[in-house]
Amino acid sequence: MTIPLDKLSDPAVRALLAALNANDRAAFQAALTADATLSDDGSERNLTDWTEREIFSSRGHIEVQTEKDDGRTVIANYRNDTWGEMRTAWRFDVQDGRVSRIETGQA
């Protein structure tokens, strides 16, 4: 069962993932703090480079299956033109209404 993005509990996560699915770089950036960080499968990544490669230039799309921690942890089916579809886990830290940290990896 997929959870519609507009039904996700945390408004900052909701805005970030909606921007991801809309391929909207400006809205995605606006949903992040200026010093936001990211890790992928436990390795620190450059957020700008990673999102360009894994989301925007490869047409990333997320379908959330479950959420917990008030919407700040999700399990989702994620797909892009580079890797196809995979089951992924995402954890978000939120500060002042924007995402300050993304941790993602295969679930």
Side-chain angles (χ1 to χ4, degrees):
M1 182 172 102
T2 300
I3 300 171
L5 295 183
D6 65 349
K7 301 296 184 201
L8 293 175
S9 299
D10 189 280
V13 172
R14 189 168 55 234
L16 187 79
L17 297 184
L20 184 159
N21 278 357
N23 202 36
D24 185 336
R25 286 177 180 86
F28 189 89
Q29 199 63 39
L32 295 168
T33 62
D35 60 349
T37 59
L38 176 132
S39 72
D40 182 5
D41 283 327
S43 298
E44 290 300 311
R45 303 289 184 204
N46 177 289
L47 179 64
T48 302
D49 292 346
W50 188 92
T51 55
E52 181 57 35
R53 182 178 64 254
E54 299 293 336
I55 296 172
F56 298 113
S57 67
S58 61
R59 298 186 318 138
H61 186 82
I62 194 165
E63 292 181 351
V64 175
Q65 305 300 306
T66 64
E67 70 170 354
K68 61 182 182 177
D69 302 325
D70 296 319
R72 294 187 179 178
T73 300
V74 302
I75 300 296
N77 292 334
Y78 184 77
R79 70 176 181 271
N80 66 26
D81 290 347
T82 302
W83 304 108
E85 185 168 315
M86 65 190 85
R87 188 164 173 82
T88 55
W90 300 73
R91 191 179 75 71
F92 304 93
D93 292 342
V94 175
Q95 178 182 346
D96 298 326
R98 296 197 293 170
V99 173
S100 61
R101 172 94 175 146
I102 303 168
E103 294 178 7
T104 187
Q106 293 193 38

